[in-house]
Amino acid sequence: MLESLKKQDTVVYDLVQKEITRQKDGLCMIPSENHASVAVLEAMGTPLSNKYAEGYPSKRYYTGNEFIDQIENLAIERAKKLFNADHANVQPNAGSTANQAIYFAMLDVGDKAMGMDLSHGGHLTHGSPVNFSGKLYNMVHYGVEKDTEKIDYDKLAELADKEKPKMIISGATAYPREIDFDRFTKIAHDIGAVHMADVSHIVGLILGGVHKDSKTADITMTTTHKTLRGPRSAIILCKEEFAKPIDKAVFPGLQGGPMEHIIAAKAVAFQEAMEPDFKPYQTQIKKNAAALAKVLMDNKIRVVSGGTDNHLILMDATSMGITGKIGSTALEEAGIYCNRNTIPFEQRSPFDPSGIRMGTPSITTRGMKEDEIGQIGEWITSVLKDPENSGLKEEIKEKVKKLCNEFPLYKEFE
Ligand SMILES: *Cc1c(COP(=O)(O)O)cnc(C)c1O
């Protein structure tokens, strides 16, 4: 593969090869990342990228969309089947744009909505003041409780009743516990609000039957590249009554021509998610995360909320006398990739926060199970306990590489 690229542009080719090697030889433990199949990657690299298809199937502004329409319809039908949804819009380019389209459809500028606080695990687009969502809307935030570091649904209901937002957003990017979407729906509907579920991180677990689903939500948004393991993109699912405003908000409200090569790749990923090995994969992601949390806690590392119900773990690096930045940088030098993250009731700055976020979707894609997790957990612990020890980091990096070669990735790119 990549022969033409190699011939045409060695600079880009070399950098692409280096990145592929980095992915092969290191442990990706960033919970929002995954390794998509070669079939998904191939669909993304097709001449479908050349086509303008503004509009929707059979209602395009350009001619020549006979096959593009079939591809987009296929993606829509598969998404509806997979999620058991009334309506699917497969055009959003990314999770952030999909959320933007939903807010455009459901709110007027200045309206009140409610989302999870960023420092408690919410996403930037759930109303952070530095993001469009916090600038255009009157966003009220809920968070986790100080003692449990979990959402208290009774308190959430009280806050919703007091604030009366027009829309309540559930979902998070750094919340290690199960989210009760049905409870969110009830809280929203009790005050006449719309419930929008952002299941970006945990969508795979939901489809795998190892996390509560969001079927009662009025609108569901998910990215397609995290636990779903598809292309970098997003989709919106909704009840029939919201279909028109959602479609109009995506196009012409927000985007121009959709990326049909990515839509083709989404169709492939939806098909993969309906195959029999998808559920066991998701079950294993969760088992691996639980095993990792256990090793870390056994090694006296504080894990936010005392464990995990999903694919991710939030560590409090200050429990080892270091910061999230020092810890994540040291781990990178040992070939283990994760990200620094704020923790609830953060005492430090967002640029050098207390937490380290880790997840198991990518390493589970490689086939790693509890035995490997035990080993990885010990490596992580030893690096975090001695982050300036270059010899140790080099040694672990070699061991990581050896383990990765036993669970190879992307043989097609050799
Ligand atoms: C990743 C994520 C998004 C945004 O996705 P992008 O594709 O990076 O724009 C939105 N919401 C949640 C909860 C996410 O985890």
Side-chain angles (χ1 to χ4, degrees):
M1 285 174 89
L2 307 180
E3 283 310 305
S4 307
L5 178 62
K6 187 177 183 179
K7 241 192 254 163
Q8 172 62 33
D9 191 331
T10 52
V11 182
V12 170
Y13 172 81
D14 284 344
L15 289 168
V16 169
Q17 275 306 345
K18 281 181 180 156
E19 169 59 13
I20 294 172
T21 305
R22 186 197 66 80
Q23 289 189 22
K24 284 180 171 181
D25 292 350
L27 289 168
C28 173
M29 303 202 64
I30 295 170
S32 48
E33 293 185 4
N34 210 330
H35 304 291
S37 72
V38 174
V40 165
L41 299 181
E42 280 182 349
M44 284 195 267
T46 56
L48 268 63
S49 168
N50 299 334
K51 191 71 196 94
Y52 250 111
E54 283 182 354
Y56 288 99
S58 312
K59 294 183 284 279
R60 306 286 191 186
Y61 290 81
Y62 295 78
T63 59
N65 279 306
E66 184 185 353
F67 307 111
I68 294 290
D69 278 4
Q70 291 178 46
I71 283 168
E72 190 167 330
N73 277 329
L74 190 65
I76 291 168
E77 287 315 311
R78 286 181 182 173
K80 282 164 65 176
K81 186 171 165 209
L82 183 62
F83 291 93
N84 193 13
D86 290 350
H87 182 75
N89 188 308
V90 297
Q91 292 193 357
N93 293 334
S96 296
T97 19
N99 280 349
Q100 205 174 346
I102 295 169
Y103 304 169
F104 281 175
M106 308 311 299
L107 304 170
D108 289 316
V109 170
D111 274 352
K112 192 184 273 186
M114 202 164 114
M116 195 172 196
D117 194 283
L118 181 68
S119 69
H120 288 227
H123 190 259
L124 269 175
T125 56
H126 297 178
S128 160
V130 299
N131 182 261
F132 83 91
S133 55
K135 293 184 199 286
L136 296 187
Y137 306 103
N138 177 10
M139 283 281 186
V140 192
H141 289 114
Y142 60 89
V144 297
E145 295 305 303
K146 199 151 193 182
D147 49 345
T148 58
E149 296 176 306
K150 295 177 187 169
I151 296 169
D152 178 327
Y153 290 92
D154 294 330
K155 288 205 176 150
L156 180 72
E158 258 173 52
L159 182 67
D161 192 52
K162 181 173 146 245
E163 297 284 353
K164 301 268 187 314
K166 227 168 142 180
M167 182 170 79
I168 299 181
I169 305 156
S170 62
T173 130
Y175 184 61
R177 293 300 181 172
E178 183 150 41
I179 295 171
D180 188 343
F181 292 108
D182 288 352
R183 189 75 201 273
F184 265 99
T185 302
K186 181 162 190 317
I187 291 168
H189 290 182
D190 279 352
I191 56 160
V194 166
H195 171 207
M196 175 221 156
D198 179 346
V199 300
S200 291
H201 260 264
I202 51 170
V203 59
L205 302 183
I206 292 175
L207 294 172
V210 290
H211 190 291
K212 286 182 173 140
D213 69 44
S214 69
K215 289 203 175 75
T216 58
D218 299 294
I219 303 169
T220 293
M221 192 291 284
T222 183
T223 51
T224 48
H225 50 281
K226 298 177 185 173
T227 47
L228 191 52
R229 209 164 48 180
R232 175 159 303 276
S233 199
I235 56 169
I236 301 170
L237 306 150
C238 66
K239 294 179 180 164
E240 197 53 52
E241 61 180 303
F242 302 113
K244 263 216 174 101
I246 289 290
D247 283 355
K248 275 173 80 177
V250 174
F251 176 86
L254 190 61
Q255 294 184 177
M259 298 194 192
E260 295 292 346
H261 53 310
I262 306 296
I263 290 174
K266 287 183 225 189
V268 175
F270 300 152
Q271 179 71 38
E272 289 178 353
M274 286 186 255
E275 273 160 22
D277 57 354
F278 192 74
K279 283 186 181 175
Y281 163 58
Q282 299 295 338
T283 308
Q284 192 62 47
I285 289 179
K286 190 170 152 169
K287 281 189 193 165
N288 284 351
L292 181 61
K294 185 171 183 307
V295 198
L296 299 174
M297 290 190 297
D298 286 350
N299 286 328
K300 306 268 182 303
I301 295 174
R302 191 176 92 80
V303 169
V304 168
S305 82
T308 177
D309 299 327
N310 57 26
H311 63 303
L312 74 82
I313 290 142
L314 197 55
M315 278 183 260
D316 182 352
T318 65
S319 66
M320 286 158 287
I322 58 170
T323 67
K325 193 173 170 185
I326 290 173
S328 58
T329 308
L331 286 167
E332 181 178 32
E333 286 159 4
I336 300 171
Y337 303 95
C338 56
N339 68 279
R340 59 182 192 261
N341 216 99
T342 52
I343 60 171
F345 307 97
E346 182 61 69
Q347 301 293 315
R348 304 181 52 83
S349 87
F351 302 103
D352 190 9
S354 306
I356 298 174
R357 192 181 67 150
M358 282 200 163
T360 52
S362 304
I363 59 173
T364 309
T365 289
R366 303 183 81 133
M368 294 181 187
K369 295 205 165 88
E370 288 90 332
D371 279 352
E372 289 75 36
I373 297 292
Q375 180 62 78
I376 294 166
E378 295 302 333
W379 290 337
I380 291 170
T381 307
S382 51
V383 172
L384 294 180
K385 291 204 164 145
D386 196 4
E388 280 169 28
N389 185 339
S390 318
L392 174 74
K393 287 182 280 190
E394 274 310 310
E395 189 190 312
I396 290 179
K397 191 173 183 172
E398 275 312 306
K399 288 183 180 164
V400 162
K401 190 173 167 182
K402 195 163 159 278
L403 176 68
C404 286
N405 290 337
E406 288 167 32
F407 294 88
L409 267 183
Y410 297 136
K411 289 189 215 90
E412 294 81 354
F413 288 96
E414 262 152 26

